[in-house]
Amino acid sequence: MSAELLVLLIVVCTALAFDFTNGFHDTANAMATSIATGALKPRTAVLLSGALNLIGAFLSVAVAATVAKGIVDLSEVSGRALLDIVFAGLVGGILWNLFTWLLGLPSSSSHALFGGIIGSTIAALGWHGVIWARGSDGVLAKIIIPAVLSPVVAALVAATASWVVYRITQRSNEKTVSKGFRWGQIGTASLVSLAHGTNDAQKTMGIIFLALIAHGTAKPTDQIPLWVIVACAVAMAAGTCVGGWRIIRTLGKGLVDIVPPQGFAAESTSAAIILTSAHFGLPMSTTQVVTGSILGSGIGRPGAEVRWGVLGRMATAWVLTLPLAAIVGGLCWALLHGIGGTTGVLVVFALLIVMAALIWMRSKRAVVNSHNVTADWDDTPAPAAKTNTADDTVGIG
């Protein structure tokens, strides 16, 4: 096996690892509200979400094309140098995903990935290596503007939808309304899961395709290979099925106290915005869309309490995601480049494994699982559990 092929295989494996972390990091986007209201049992919810993420990944490749061709200026770099950039960026994205998961913060996996790639590109090529703005393409149009607008638009639409729902049902029997909307939530949560697979799995498809271009296995004008689509769909679904209970708890219980009509409005809004963005090839952050929708549903529900301190922590993570993931991606490239050759890639890969293991071990000090994910919110990122249950061993907190 040649050194270039070995590096390509490591990059592909790292990309699929990112896809897996994206899955359990973002399970909350689809299922947090349904779990919080009791519309779905926690384990049932994450398994259903995983299956629908798998299906959704096959519905479109528009976002994948944007990722593969819209961040790194391919006229500036190719071959092994591009593989190194992609690999270092992936490591930055994974580490930020794991860190924010540990804190229970629903930050954007998309922006962690993009930040890592941008940081490694700047470290390798300088600022001109990144496509910042090029007509309707580039970081500004495809990442920054959607990042600013998506939570605001989602909040406004969800607030309106929640207000309308409560106006329509204000004279109806409360128990009957709640039961009906719980059934409705199963449908809307499923639609969000399908939309998440359509949008987020494609981002890793685009990164792997970028690696194939660097290796010379594919050309920028080629179609995304079927094996890439299948591998990314399976990795995303597998990550979703294990459950990201820490972030599910924050979104389902921490931001607002959610009841079924409100959850239905939030999920409907999220699904509509995410599917629209996927259709137009916009790699939008599903986390920001869903968080904006949940916030808006709280604003639109009469008498609901919004925990603005929790929202402040989320917003801080959003702001820091791109620059901090970029710093990690840049540092990984510098370490890789400093050591040089395939040895540098292997050292950074080993470092990634060690850091992931340390974060996992740290998470066991305060376990969140399907048993305590809906416990009353006490304004701490993760409630402690003295003993592990069976769910602790198969799920991700």
Side-chain angles (χ1 to χ4, degrees):
M1 180 185 296
S2 67
E4 286 74 16
L5 180 57
L6 175 61
V7 172
L8 175 64
L9 291 176
I10 291 175
V11 171
V12 171
C13 290
T14 306
L16 294 176
F18 172 82
D19 213 20
F20 184 85
T21 67
N22 191 347
F24 74 71
H25 198 283
D26 290 2
T27 308
N29 294 344
M31 293 299 173
T33 57
S34 295
I35 292 172
T37 63
L40 286 167
K41 294 182 178 179
R43 276 289 169 199
T44 302
V46 298
L47 292 175
L48 175 62
S49 183
L52 290 168
N53 267 275
L54 179 67
I55 296 170
F58 290 93
L59 298 183
S60 171
V61 293
V63 172
T66 297
V67 173
K69 305 168 188 176
I71 299 176
V72 181
D73 191 342
L74 297 180
S75 66
E76 294 285 339
V77 64
S78 62
R80 175 59 188 276
L82 181 55
L83 275 177
D84 290 346
I85 289 172
V86 172
F87 173 66
L90 283 167
V91 173
I94 290 174
L95 290 178
W96 181 256
N97 259 3
L98 292 176
F99 178 68
T100 51
W101 160 77
L102 178 65
L103 299 179
L105 291 174
S107 68
S108 171
S109 296
S110 306
H111 293 163
L113 174 62
F114 297 144
I117 296 292
I118 290 169
S120 60
T121 301
I122 293 173
L125 305 175
W127 292 88
H128 64 278
V130 178
I131 302 174
W132 297 106
R134 184 179 293 171
S136 60
D137 292 326
V139 172
L140 179 63
K142 296 294 188 180
I143 300 174
I144 302 299
I145 293 177
V148 174
L149 293 181
S150 59
V152 176
V153 172
L156 291 174
V157 174
T160 303
S162 295
W163 183 83
V164 170
V165 164
Y166 279 100
R167 288 286 294 178
I168 293 174
T169 61
Q170 62 182 340
R171 296 183 180 179
S172 302
N173 180 273
E174 184 176 347
K175 291 185 178 180
T176 303
V177 168
S178 293
K179 183 177 180 180
F181 277 109
R182 280 196 183 96
W183 282 104
Q185 274 194 279
I186 296 174
T188 53
S190 298
L191 190 58
V192 174
S193 292
L194 193 70
H196 181 265
T198 304
N199 192 285
D200 276 43
Q202 292 185 57
K203 294 159 189 173
T204 308
M205 295 178 201
I207 292 300
I208 293 178
F209 188 59
L210 189 61
L212 294 177
I213 292 172
H215 185 257
T217 308
K219 299 177 181 178
T221 54
D222 291 344
Q223 297 294 317
I224 305 289
L226 179 61
W227 71 264
V228 174
I229 298 173
V230 172
C232 292
V234 171
M236 173 72 74
T240 303
C241 285
V242 301
W245 304 113
R246 292 174 124 74
I247 300 175
I248 290 175
R249 175 167 169 74
T250 300
L251 275 180
K253 301 296 291 185
L255 189 56
V256 296
D257 289 321
I258 301 173
V259 294
Q262 175 187 354
F264 177 83
E267 290 165 357
S268 301
T269 299
S270 299
I273 293 175
I274 295 167
L275 286 172
T276 300
S277 70
H279 175 73
F280 288 104
L282 294 173
M284 187 173 289
S285 167
T286 55
T287 300
Q288 291 185 352
V289 171
V290 171
T291 303
S293 296
I294 293 174
L295 172 65
S297 71
I299 294 173
R301 171 191 164 198
E305 176 191 359
V306 177
R307 297 184 180 91
W308 296 104
V310 176
L311 178 64
R313 292 197 292 270
M314 292 181 187
T316 300
W318 293 353
V319 172
L320 294 178
T321 294
L322 269 171
L324 290 187
I327 290 172
V328 176
L331 290 174
C332 288
W333 183 90
L335 177 61
L336 185 160
H337 185 69
I339 297 172
T342 305
T343 303
V345 174
L346 293 173
V347 168
V348 174
F349 190 60
L351 180 63
L352 170 63
I353 294 173
V354 170
M355 292 298 297
L358 290 174
I359 292 173
W360 170 258
M361 292 169 60
R362 177 62 180 82
S363 73
K364 290 305 177 183
R365 297 184 184 179
V367 176
V368 184
N369 54 43
S370 59
H371 297 297
N372 61 4
V373 69
T374 57
D376 290 340
W377 184 259
D378 58 3
D379 205 31
T380 59
K386 294 182 179 178
T387 59
N388 289 349
T389 66
D391 271 333
D392 297 341
T393 60
V394 298
I396 292 181

